[in-house]
C-alpha cells in the first residue's frame, strides 16, 4: 500500500516538473556542471549534470556511467568531466592531479579550523580563545603564548596518499607536533609526531596517509615563561594527495609563474622581477625599482645610505698585505643615483667609499703559522706558535691545546655567520657578521628584528695528559670571549650552547649598550660542541630600518682542551717512568712545582684546583667537617660529623645518612599573564662519598634534553598533559656543585646563611651545609651559592620537610644566593647516655625494677638505644622493722643485764671498802692484815649464799639500796665471823 502511494507521489512530481519546465529555457553548458555520485559497493559511480542555480533552465544532459572510483589524473592534469578524460593544465596554472594545495594565506582557507585551549587542567580560568593560528599572506603563524593552539584539516582520500608541507621552527621553547587521526581515531607514531627545530631555512616534511578519512593536526604549546619573546612556528605550502579527483587547475599566485602546460607547481619569480596571478612569465622591474624573490610587485629603490654597505679586510696576499674594503650589502636594493634625504652633506645618495691603502697583515692567530702564500695554517701536534712560526714543545712540557681567535682577517674554518628572521623572508641575505681585522662585528640586516647569528663548532674535548680524570672534576673545557655592544634601542646579545645550532640553549644574554667585557662559560659535557652568538637590534617588527647603526663586536674567542686544537704555549708536566718525553698526571694529592716537572705532596685534607695544578696555591684546604676524596679533586662529606654544642658543652654527634638520598621540593605556585601555573622545582643531594647519587635537573621541552648535575639544582616545571608528561620541566641550572663545608656557623667562605628567616627557640644549633656553583652569569658573576640549614625537629618523621625563606618565596632574594630550611627527626644529634635517666621502683614482694626513660623534650635520634628494664631482689620494709624491733629488744635486755652486773660489782667493792675502813678504825696507825681486804676465793659465793639464805630476790634488791644514817653515812649490812648480821654506820 505504501509502495503504491510513493509511486503515485513520484508520478505527480514528474508531471508537475514537466509542466513547470515547459516555460523554462533550454540549459546551456554554462548553466550547469558535472558531478559524480557516491561510489557504490562495486566501486562504480554516475556522472550527473547539476544546475548552477535551481529552476533556471531545463533539458539537462542525462546521467551517464562515470569512471571507476579509483581513477585519477597525474600531476599537472585535471579531469575533464565532459569527456571524462585527463587534460593538461594550461600555462599559468598548476594541478596536483589527485591532490589539493594551500599556498595562499591571506585568510584561513576553507576546511581549516584553528582553536586555542588550555592543556593545564588545574588552571580552569585561563582564557585561550584568542590563541589561534594567524594567516600572514605567504604562510600561517602559530600562537606565541602558553596556550595550546591547534590547526586542523579534514580530508577524505579515495586511495593512499601523502601530505607535505614546509615549516620554520626556530624556537625550541615551543612544543610543535604534527599528527594524523584516521577513521578509528588512531594517531600517528608518538615519537615521529614531534617536529625538529629548523637549523636555518624552511624545513620540508612528508607523511603517508591511508585511504579513508584523515584529520590533520598541527599543534603548538609554548613554555617560555621568562626571558625573551617567543618566535612562532610558521607553515606554508601544504599539499595533500590521494583525493578523489581534481576537475580544474589552480592559477599561480602573484609572484609565481608556470611557463609550460601540465605544471604540477608554480615557480617563484627571481629577484628584481614580479608576476600577477596566473602568469606564464615574470616581468622585470624598472631600473629604479626592485623586488625580492617571489614578489607580486616592484618597490621603488631607496637612496643608498651608510647603512647599505659594510667594511671588511681582504685575506692576506702573497706579499703579506691586506686591504680595507667596502662592499654593498647583498642583495643590493638601494640606488646610488636617487635623490633623497640621506646622512651625507651633498643631500643625495651616498657612493661606496674607496678601498683603503694596502697594509701589513697582522700575525696569524696563536697556534697557527704563516705560509708561503701569506696564509695561515695550524701548527702540527706537539708544537706551538704565537702566530708566526711553529716550534716544538721542549722535553718535559706539553702543548696547551685549544683555539684562540684574536685576529679577524678571515672567518675561521669552524665558524660561520647567518641571519635568522623572526618574520621569515625569502631574502638571499646570509651574512650576519663580518671580519674587520682586530674584531668581528654585526652587519646591517634586512630588518631590525633580524637575528645576526655567529656560530662556532668543535669536534669534542680531551683533557691534557697532565690532568687526571676524575668523576668529581666537572670542567672539560672553558670558552671565553671579549665583546661589546652599542645600541640606541632595545638590542640584545644572546650566547647559546648545545649540541648543534638548532638545539642550542640560551646560556646568557646582555641587553642595551654594554662596555667592553669578558665572559667565561664552563663546558661540562662532551655533547656541548656548538656555540652561538645572536644579536637582535629590536624585538619590534618593522619594515623600516631605524637601528642599522647598532652593532655588536667580538674581539677575542678562546676555547680550551679542544680535540684537534692548536697550542699557543707549552707547560711543564710530570714525566712517566717509561718514556722521557711522555707527560703523566701528578699522583693524587700532589701539585707540580712551578717551572719544573717535579710533583710535591699537598698538605693533608686538601684537594687540587681543577683550573690550576701548578704551585702550592693549587692545594686548597677542605672546609670544616669535610675531607678530600680519593683523587683529591674535591671535598666530600660522609654525612657524619661531630659539633660542639652551644656554650661549649658536650660534643654532639650527627648522622645525616637517612637524608642523603635525592630529595625534591618546590616553591609556591606562580602564574603567567594568561594564568598558567608553574613552579620552581629543586632537587638536593645533601652529602655522600664518591659514587653517591647526585641531584639531576632536566629539560624535557627541547630536543637537547639538557641535564645539569650537582649537589643542588633548580628547574621550572609546568603541570601539563602535553606530550603525555605529567609535568614539563625546562630551564635547569645548578645552584651548588661543590661542597664548601658543614658547620653550625652562620657564614663560611664568604657565604652567609639567611638566619633571620629561620628563627629558632631551640638550644640545639642548626647544622648548615654550604655549596657553591662554578657557573657564572651576568647577574651572578661569582657563581651561585646555596645553604641548607638542618634543624632538629622530633615531630617531623618525614625526610622531605624543606621550607623556603618567608621573605623570598623562590628560595632566593637576589637570584644568586639560595637558602633552605630542612626540618626532620633525622637532623637531630645521635642519642647518648646523657639523653636518658633511670627510675627505680619500690620493692614489692622482694622484687625491685629499674626503668630507663628519655629526657624530655627528646632532641636526639638513633645513637645508643634505651637500656632495657632491669629486675633485682630486695627486702621489704616490714621485715626490716621486725628485725629492728627484735634487735632493739635484745640489745635493751643485754644493756640492762650488763648494767646490773656492773652495778652489783660496784656494791661489792663498796662493801669491801667499808669493811676495810672499819678494820682500819679499830687499829689506828696499823694497817689491816693482808687478807682483811682482799676478796678471798669463794667469797662471792658465800655472800650470794648469805643473800639467798636470808632474803628473797626482792628483799635483796631492797637491801642493796642505800640507806643513809643520820650522820650522813650509808648503813651497810655486814656479816660477822660468827655469821650474825650486823649493821654498820
Amino acid at each position: 500500500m505504501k509502495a503504491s502511494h510513493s509511486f503515485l507521489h513520484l508520478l505527480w512530481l514528474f508531471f508537475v516538473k514537466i509542466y513547470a519546465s515547459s516555460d523554462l529555457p533550454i540549459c546551456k553548458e554554462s548553466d550547469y556542471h558535472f558531478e559524480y555520485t557516491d561510489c557504490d559497493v562495486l566501486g562504480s559511480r554516475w556522472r550527473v549534470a547539476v544546475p548552477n542555480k535551481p529552476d533556471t533552465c531545463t533539458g539537462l544532459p542525462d546521467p551517464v556511467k562515470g569512471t571507476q572510483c579509483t581513477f585519477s589524473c597525474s600531476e599537472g592534469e585535471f579531469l575533464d568531466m565532459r569527456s571524462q578524460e585527463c587534460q593538461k593544465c594550461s600555462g599559468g596554472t598548476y594541478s596536483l592531479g589527485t591532490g589539493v594545495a594551500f599556498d595562499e594565506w591571506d585568510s584561513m582557507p576553507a576546511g581549516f579550523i584553528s582553536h586555542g585551549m588550555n592543556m593545564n587542567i588545574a588552571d580552569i580560568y585561563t582564557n585561550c580563545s584568542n590563541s589561534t593560528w594567524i594567516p600572514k599572506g605567504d604562510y600561517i603563524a602559530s600562537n606565541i603564548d602558553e596556550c595550546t593552539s591547534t590547526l586542523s584539516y579534514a580530508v577524505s582520500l579515495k586511495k593512499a596518499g601523502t601530505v607535505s608541507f614546509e615549516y620554520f621552527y626556530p624556537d625550541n621553547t615551543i612544543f610543535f607536533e604534527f599528527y594524523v587521526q584516521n577513521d578509528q581515531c588512531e594517531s600517528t607514531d608518538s615519537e615521529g609526531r614531534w617536529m625538529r627545530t629548523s637549523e636555518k631555512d624552511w624545513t620540508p616534511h612528508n607523511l603517508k596517509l591511508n585511504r579513508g578519512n584523515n584529520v590533520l593536526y598541527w599543534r603548538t604549546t609554548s613554555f617560555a615563561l621568562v626571558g625573551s619573546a617567543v618566535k612562532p612556528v610558521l607553515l606554508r605550502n601544504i599539499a595533500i594527495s590521494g583525493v578523489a579527483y581534481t576537475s580544474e587547475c589552480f592559477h599561480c599566485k602573484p609572484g609565481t609563474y608556470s611557463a609550460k602546460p601540465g605544471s604540477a607547481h608554480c615557480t617563484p619569480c627571481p629577484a628584481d622581477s614580479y608576476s600577477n596571478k596566473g602568469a606564464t612569465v615574470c616581468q622585470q622591474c624598472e631600473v629604479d625599482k626592485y623586488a625580492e624573490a617571489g614578489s607580486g610587485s616592484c618597490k621603488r629603490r631607496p637612496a643608498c645610505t651608510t647603512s647599505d654597505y659594510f667594511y671588511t679586510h681582504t685575506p692576506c696576499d702573497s706579499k703579506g698585505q691586506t686591504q680595507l674594503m667596502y662592499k654593498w650589502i647583498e642583495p643590493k636594493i638601494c640606488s646610488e643615483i636617487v635623490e633623497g634625504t640621506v646622512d651625507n652633506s651633498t643631500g643625495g645618495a651616498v657612493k661606496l667609499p674607496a678601498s683603503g691603502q694596502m697594509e701589513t697583515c697582522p700575525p696569524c692567530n696563536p697556534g697557527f703559522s704563516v705560509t708561503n702564500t701569506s696564509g695561515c695554517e695550524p701548527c702540527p701536534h706537539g708544537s706551538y706558535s704565537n702566530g708566526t712560526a711553529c716550534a716544538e714543545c721542549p722535553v718535559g712540557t706539553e702543548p696547551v691545546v685549544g683555539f684562540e681567535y684574536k685576529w679577524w682577517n678571515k672567518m675561521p674554518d669552524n665558524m660561520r655567520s647567518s641571519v635568522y628572521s623572526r618574520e621569515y623572508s625569502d631574502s638571499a641575505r646570509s651574512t650576519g657578521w663580518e671580519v674587520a681585522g682586530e674584531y668581528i662585528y654585526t652587519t646591517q640586516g634586512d630588518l631590525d628584528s633580524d637575528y645576526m647569528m655567529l656560530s662556532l663548532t668543535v669536534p669534542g674535548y680531551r683533557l691534557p695528559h697532565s690532568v687526571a680524570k676524575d668523576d668529581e672534576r666537572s670542567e672539560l673545557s672553558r670558552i671565553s670571549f671579549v665583546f661589546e655592544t652599542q645600541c640606541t634601542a632595545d638590542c640584545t646579545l644572546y650566547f647559546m650552547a648545545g649540541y648543534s645550532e638548532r638545539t642550542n640553549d640560551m646560556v646568557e644574554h646582555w641587553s642595551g649598550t654594554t662596555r667592553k667585557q669578558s665572559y667565561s662559560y664552563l663546558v661540562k659535557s662532551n655533547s656541548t660542541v656548538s656555540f652561538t652568538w645572536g644579536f637582535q637590534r629590536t624585538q619590534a617588527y618593522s619594515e623600516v630600518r631605524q637601528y642599522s647603526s647598532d652593532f655588536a663586536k667580538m674581539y677575542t674567542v678562546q676555547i680550551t682542551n679542544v680535540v684537534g686544537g692548536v697550542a699557543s704555549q707549552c707547560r711543564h708536566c710530570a714525566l712517566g717512568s717509561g718514556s722521557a718525553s711522555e707527560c703523566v698526571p701528578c699522583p693524587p694529592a700532589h701539585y707540580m712545582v712551578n717551572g719544573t716537572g717535579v710533583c710535591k705532596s699537598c698538605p693533608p685534607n686538601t684537594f687540587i684546583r681543577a683550573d690550576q695544578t701548578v704551585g702550592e696555591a693549587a692545594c686548597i684546604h677542605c672546609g670544616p667537617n669535610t675531607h678530600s676524596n680519593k683523587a683529591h679533586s674535591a671535598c666530600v662529606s660522609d654525612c657524619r660529623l661531630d659539633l660542639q654544642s652551644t656554650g661549649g658543652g658536650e660534643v654532639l654527634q650527627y648522622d645525616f645518612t637517612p637524608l642523603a638520598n635525592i630529595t625534591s621540593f618546590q616553591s609556591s605556585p606562580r602564574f603567567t599573564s594568561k594564568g598558567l601555573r608553574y613552579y620552581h622545582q629543586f632537587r638536593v643531594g645533601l652529602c655522600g662519598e664518591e659514587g653517591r647519587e647526585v641531584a639531576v635537573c632536566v629539560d624535557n621541552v627541547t630536543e637537547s634534553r639538557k641535564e645539569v648535575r650537582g649537589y643542588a639544582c633548580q628547574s621550572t616545571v609546568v603541570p601539563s598533559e602535553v606530550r603525555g608528561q605529567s609535568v614539563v620541566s625546562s630551564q635547569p641550572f645548578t645552584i651548588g656543585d661543590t661542597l664548601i663545608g658543614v658547620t653550625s656557623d652562620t657564614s663560611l667562605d664568604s657565604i652567609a646563611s639567611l638566619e633571620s628567616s629561620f628563627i629558632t627557640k631551640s638550644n640545639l644549633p642548626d647544622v648548615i651545609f654550604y655549596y657553591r656553583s662554578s657557573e657564572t652569569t651576568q647577574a651572578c658573576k661569582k657563581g651561585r651559592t646555596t645553604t641548607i640549614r638542618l634543624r632538629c625537629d622530633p615531630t617531623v618523621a618525614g625526610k622531605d620537610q624543606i621550607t623556603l625563606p618567608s621573605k623570598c618565596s623562590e628560595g632566593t632574594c637576589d637570584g644568586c644566593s639560595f637558602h633552605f630550611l630542612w626540618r626532620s627527626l633525622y637532623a637531630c644529634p645521635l642519642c647518648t647516655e646523657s639523653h636518658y635517666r633511670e627510675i627505680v621502683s619500690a620493692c614489692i614482694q622482694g622484687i625491685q625494677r629499674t626503668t630507663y626513660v628519655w629526657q624530655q623534650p627528646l632532641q636526639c635520634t638513633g645513637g645508643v638505644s634505651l637500656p632495657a628494664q632491669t629486675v633485682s631482689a630486695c627486702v621489704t620494709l616490714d621485715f626490716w622493722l621486725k628485725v629492728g624491733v627484735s634487735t632493739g629488744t635484745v640489745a635493751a635486755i643485754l644493756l640492762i643485764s650488763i648494767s646490773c652486773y656492773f652495778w652489783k660489782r660496784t656494791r661489792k667493792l663498796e662493801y669491801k671498802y667499808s669493811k676495810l675502813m672499819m678494820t682500819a678504825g679499830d687499829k689506828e696507825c696499823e694497817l689491816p692484815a693482808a687478807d682483811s681486804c682482799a676478796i678471798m676465793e669463794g667469797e662471792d659465793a658465800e655472800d650470794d649464799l648469805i643473800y639467798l639464805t636470808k632474803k628473797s630476790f626482792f628483799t635483796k634488791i631492797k637491801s642493796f639500796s642505800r640507806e643513809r644514817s643520820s650522820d650522813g653515812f650509808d648503813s651497810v649490812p655486814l656479816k660477822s665471823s660468827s655469821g650474825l648480821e650486823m649493821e654498820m654506820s
Side-chain angles (χ1 to χ4, degrees):
M1 188 69 177
K2 290 183 179 179
S4 61
H5 279 293
S6 298
F7 174 76
L8 293 175
H9 180 69
L10 290 174
L11 186 63
W12 179 79
L13 289 176
F14 175 75
F15 282 110
V16 169
K17 184 175 180 181
I18 293 297
Y19 175 78
S21 63
S22 61
D23 296 334
L24 296 177
I26 300 298
C27 290
K28 301 178 182 178
E29 292 185 0
S30 58
D31 294 331
Y32 61 89
H33 63 277
F34 293 105
E35 291 183 4
Y36 282 124
T37 62
D38 293 335
C39 296
D40 57 24
V41 294
L42 299 178
S44 301
R45 55 187 175 183
W46 291 81
R47 189 199 69 175
V48 297
V50 179
N52 297 330
K53 293 182 180 181
D55 302 330
T56 56
C57 63
T58 186
L60 293 174
D62 295 329
V64 297
K65 191 172 183 61
T67 60
Q68 290 294 317
C69 291
T70 57
F71 177 83
S72 62
C73 295
S74 302
E75 293 182 343
E77 297 179 341
F78 72 99
L79 179 62
D80 185 357
M81 294 295 290
R82 296 186 179 278
S83 62
Q84 298 195 68
E85 294 180 354
C86 295
Q87 304 290 336
K88 288 186 176 182
C89 293
S90 60
T93 63
Y94 71 99
S95 168
L96 298 179
T98 60
V100 291
F102 305 94
D103 54 6
E104 295 187 52
W105 298 92
D106 296 319
S107 60
M108 190 71 73
F112 280 88
I113 300 175
S114 178
H115 65 277
M117 61 182 299
N118 177 22
M119 293 298 291
N120 187 5
I121 300 175
D123 297 330
I124 59 176
Y125 299 108
T126 301
N127 184 7
C128 295
S129 58
N130 295 325
S131 299
T132 60
W133 290 72
I134 303 174
K136 294 283 189 177
D138 292 333
Y139 54 84
I140 185 171
S142 73
N143 65 318
I144 56 175
D145 55 23
E146 61 270 15
C147 294
T148 296
S149 180
T150 303
L151 178 69
S152 61
Y153 181 76
V155 62
S156 178
L157 301 186
K158 300 304 180 181
K159 64 177 183 179
T162 60
V163 56
S164 63
F165 56 90
E166 294 179 348
Y167 68 90
F168 185 59
Y169 177 25
D171 196 332
N172 55 19
T173 62
I174 294 182
F175 275 148
F176 176 38
E177 58 180 325
F178 169 70
Y179 61 97
V180 180
Q181 286 187 343
N182 56 21
D183 289 331
Q184 288 75 37
C185 292
E186 297 174 346
S187 301
T188 53
D189 178 63
S190 59
E191 291 297 328
R193 66 195 294 174
W194 301 102
M195 299 291 99
R196 300 179 65 87
T197 52
S198 303
E199 187 168 350
K200 180 184 177 183
D201 209 337
W202 289 91
T203 304
H205 185 75
N206 297 275
L207 184 67
K208 293 182 179 180
L209 301 178
N210 296 324
R211 181 177 179 273
N213 294 324
N214 292 269
V215 183
L216 316 180
Y217 293 95
W218 294 266
R219 189 164 71 174
T220 59
T221 305
S222 173
F223 289 99
L225 304 175
V226 294
S228 60
V230 178
K231 296 179 282 294
V233 176
L234 310 181
L235 283 178
R236 72 176 186 183
N237 296 339
I238 300 176
I240 305 170
S241 65
V243 296
Y245 58 88
T246 299
S247 59
E248 61 179 345
C249 297
F250 302 97
H251 291 282
C252 293
K253 68 176 183 178
T256 63
Y257 72 100
S258 63
K260 297 180 180 179
S263 297
H265 58 83
C266 299
T267 305
C269 292
D272 295 333
S273 65
Y274 72 99
S275 70
N276 297 318
K277 186 174 183 179
T280 58
V281 65
C282 295
Q283 305 295 324
Q284 286 295 123
C285 294
E286 299 177 5
V287 178
D288 60 343
K289 294 183 179 181
Y290 77 99
E292 297 176 349
S295 297
S297 61
C298 296
K299 301 177 183 178
R300 186 170 297 278
R301 293 183 181 273
C304 290
T305 67
T306 55
S307 299
D308 292 311
Y309 64 83
F310 65 95
Y311 61 92
T312 184
H313 282 77
T314 62
C316 295
D317 58 17
S318 58
K319 297 180 181 179
Q321 291 187 321
T322 183
Q323 186 180 23
L324 177 67
M325 294 191 66
Y326 295 89
K327 297 181 179 180
W328 293 113
I329 296 176
E330 297 295 339
K332 181 185 176 185
I333 63 174
C334 67
S335 173
E336 301 175 57
I337 60 175
V338 175
E339 297 293 334
T341 302
V342 293
D343 57 354
N344 62 347
S345 58
T346 61
V350 300
K351 303 291 184 181
L352 191 68
S355 300
Q357 297 291 330
M358 299 298 293
E359 301 173 355
T360 302
C361 284
C364 296
N365 282 309
F368 292 81
S369 63
V370 181
T371 64
N372 295 332
T373 58
S374 297
C376 296
E377 63 179 8
C379 292
H381 180 70
S383 60
Y384 72 101
S385 82
N386 60 359
T388 54
C390 299
E392 290 288 333
C393 286
V395 176
T397 64
E398 64 176 345
V400 182
V401 178
F403 288 109
E404 181 181 0
Y405 301 118
K406 62 180 182 179
W407 301 108
W408 303 93
N409 270 34
K410 177 188 174 185
M411 185 72 72
D413 294 337
N414 58 351
M415 297 183 73
R416 74 181 188 92
S417 71
S418 59
V419 178
Y420 267 17
S421 179
R422 179 178 174 183
E423 299 291 336
Y424 189 85
S425 64
D426 287 322
S427 171
R429 179 74 190 283
S430 61
T431 302
W433 295 68
E434 277 291 344
V435 296
E438 295 182 350
Y439 54 84
I440 183 172
Y441 73 103
T442 54
T443 61
Q444 293 83 2
D446 293 332
L447 302 173
D448 287 338
S449 57
D450 288 349
Y451 289 84
M452 318 309 288
M453 311 300 291
L454 177 67
S455 62
L456 166 66
T457 305
V458 296
Y461 310 98
R462 182 170 52 235
L463 293 174
H465 294 290
S466 61
V467 177
K469 296 179 175 62
D470 180 69
D471 293 337
E472 296 287 342
R473 191 183 303 276
S474 59
E475 179 179 342
L476 281 177
S477 176
R478 181 187 296 262
I479 182 171
S480 305
F481 54 91
V482 178
F483 69 98
E484 73 169 329
T485 61
Q486 182 174 317
C487 307
T488 57
D490 56 333
C491 74
T492 306
L493 176 65
Y494 300 92
F495 173 61
M496 296 161 280
Y499 181 73
S500 65
E501 286 185 59
R502 60 184 178 82
T503 60
N504 287 351
D505 297 318
M506 188 183 72
V507 174
E508 188 57 277
H509 70 281
W510 298 264
S511 300
T513 299
T514 56
R515 59 178 178 80
K516 188 176 181 180
Q517 59 184 277
S518 63
Y519 177 80
S520 295
Y521 173 71
L522 298 183
V523 179
K524 301 181 179 181
S525 171
N526 247 321
S527 61
T528 306
V529 294
S530 176
F531 306 93
T532 304
W533 295 265
F535 180 71
Q536 186 184 36
R537 291 177 170 86
T538 180
Q539 294 184 5
Y541 173 76
S542 175
E543 294 184 355
V544 179
R545 292 185 300 181
Q546 305 177 37
Y547 311 111
S548 298
S549 59
D550 295 356
F551 64 84
K553 290 182 180 180
M554 200 80 63
Y555 292 92
T556 62
V557 177
Q558 184 177 10
I559 184 169
T560 62
N561 302 337
V562 178
V563 174
V566 295
S568 61
Q569 58 179 334
C570 300
R571 63 184 170 193
H572 288 277
C573 62
L575 299 179
S577 58
S579 174
S581 60
E582 182 181 357
C583 289
V584 296
C586 282
H590 286 69
Y591 67 93
M592 188 181 303
V593 179
N594 196 13
T596 68
V598 179
C599 295
K600 191 174 180 180
S601 176
C602 284
N605 202 30
T606 58
F607 69 98
I608 303 295
R609 292 176 55 181
D611 57 340
Q612 178 183 342
T613 59
V614 179
E616 191 173 359
C619 303
I620 307 298
H621 286 275
C622 289
N625 297 297
T626 64
H627 60 274
S628 57
N629 60 358
K630 294 180 180 179
H632 288 264
S633 60
C635 295
V636 295
S637 169
D638 60 358
C639 306
R640 299 176 177 88
L641 66 148
D642 298 336
L643 288 178
Q644 194 80 24
S645 62
T646 305
E650 63 175 329
V651 175
L652 302 176
Q653 297 179 336
Y654 290 88
D655 185 0
F656 299 124
T657 304
L659 305 178
N661 295 328
I662 303 302
T663 305
S664 299
F665 57 99
Q666 59 192 21
S667 66
S668 56
R670 299 178 63 85
F671 298 89
T672 64
S673 58
K674 283 281 188 178
L676 179 67
R677 179 169 52 113
Y678 67 96
Y679 305 87
H680 288 150
Q681 185 182 62
F682 302 92
R683 292 177 64 83
V684 172
L686 186 67
C687 51
E689 298 279 7
E690 293 98 329
R692 68 185 182 278
E693 186 181 6
V694 297
V696 180
C697 295
V698 301
D699 176 2
N700 60 11
V701 176
T702 63
E703 299 173 29
S704 62
R705 292 296 189 271
K706 178 183 176 182
E707 289 187 356
V708 295
R709 298 171 176 267
Y711 283 98
C713 59
Q714 176 193 312
S715 61
T716 302
V717 297
V718 180
S720 175
E721 297 300 323
V722 176
R723 223 170 192 174
Q725 299 161 325
S726 59
V727 296
V728 174
S729 176
S730 64
Q731 303 168 3
F733 58 88
T734 59
I735 58 177
D737 54 20
T738 302
L739 177 61
I740 304 301
V742 185
T743 178
S744 58
D745 297 336
T746 56
S747 63
L748 178 66
D749 194 23
S750 302
I751 305 174
S753 176
L754 197 63
E755 188 176 11
S756 60
S757 294
F758 303 125
I759 299 175
T760 179
K761 297 181 180 179
S762 174
N763 57 350
L764 284 178
D766 292 337
V767 180
I768 307 173
F769 282 73
Y770 290 86
Y771 307 94
R772 176 174 278 119
S773 173
S774 56
E775 292 182 355
T776 60
T777 64
Q778 183 182 3
C780 308
K781 298 185 183 299
K782 295 183 179 180
R784 299 182 178 93
T785 61
T786 297
T787 63
I788 301 179
R789 182 182 290 263
L790 272 67
R791 177 169 297 171
C792 173
D793 191 342
T795 63
V796 180
K799 302 177 182 179
D800 57 352
Q801 192 69 31
I802 303 178
T803 57
L804 283 65
S806 57
K807 298 179 181 179
C808 311
S809 59
E810 298 181 13
T812 177
C813 297
D814 58 3
C816 300
S817 301
F818 292 80
H819 308 277
F820 308 106
L821 174 64
W822 195 338
R823 296 183 298 110
S824 176
L825 166 67
Y826 303 101
C828 296
L830 297 178
C831 295
T832 62
E833 288 81 358
S834 63
H835 288 95
Y836 62 82
R837 60 187 178 90
E838 64 178 21
I839 299 177
V840 180
S841 68
C843 184
I844 301 174
Q845 297 180 354
I847 297 176
Q848 189 174 53
R849 291 176 170 82
T850 302
T851 306
Y852 299 89
V853 295
W854 294 112
Q855 299 277 7
Q856 296 299 327
L858 180 63
Q859 292 183 321
C860 69
T861 183
V864 299
S865 301
L866 198 65
Q869 187 185 63
T870 59
V871 179
S872 60
C874 64
V875 181
T876 60
L877 180 61
D878 56 348
F879 171 81
W880 287 112
L881 182 61
K882 293 177 181 180
V883 171
V885 171
S886 300
T887 303
T889 303
V890 172
I893 295 173
L894 182 61
L895 180 60
I896 293 173
S897 300
I898 293 174
S899 299
C900 292
Y901 172 76
F902 283 103
W903 181 74
K904 180 180 178 182
R905 296 283 295 182
T906 302
R907 298 293 293 178
K908 287 180 179 180
L909 287 176
E910 289 180 352
Y911 163 72
K912 291 182 179 181
Y913 177 75
S914 300
K915 185 178 179 182
L916 179 62
M917 291 302 295
M918 290 176 64
T919 306
D922 294 337
K923 298 179 179 180
E924 295 182 1
C925 301
E926 183 178 347
L927 293 173
D931 58 354
S932 62
C933 64
I935 301 176
M936 303 303 293
E937 184 178 357
E939 191 173 347
D940 291 338
E942 183 181 358
D943 296 335
D944 293 339
L945 180 60
I946 293 174
Y947 290 121
L948 291 174
T949 56
K950 296 297 182 180
K951 297 179 180 179
S952 64
F953 176 77
F954 294 101
T955 305
K956 288 181 179 180
I957 294 177
K958 183 178 180 182
S959 65
F960 285 149
S961 62
R962 295 185 178 181
E963 299 178 4
R964 292 186 178 270
S965 59
S966 59
D967 57 3
F969 292 96
D970 293 333
S971 59
V972 180
L974 297 175
K975 180 181 177 184
S976 66
S977 59
S978 61
L980 297 177
E981 187 177 278
M982 299 177 62
E983 182 175 328
M984 293 185 63
S985 57

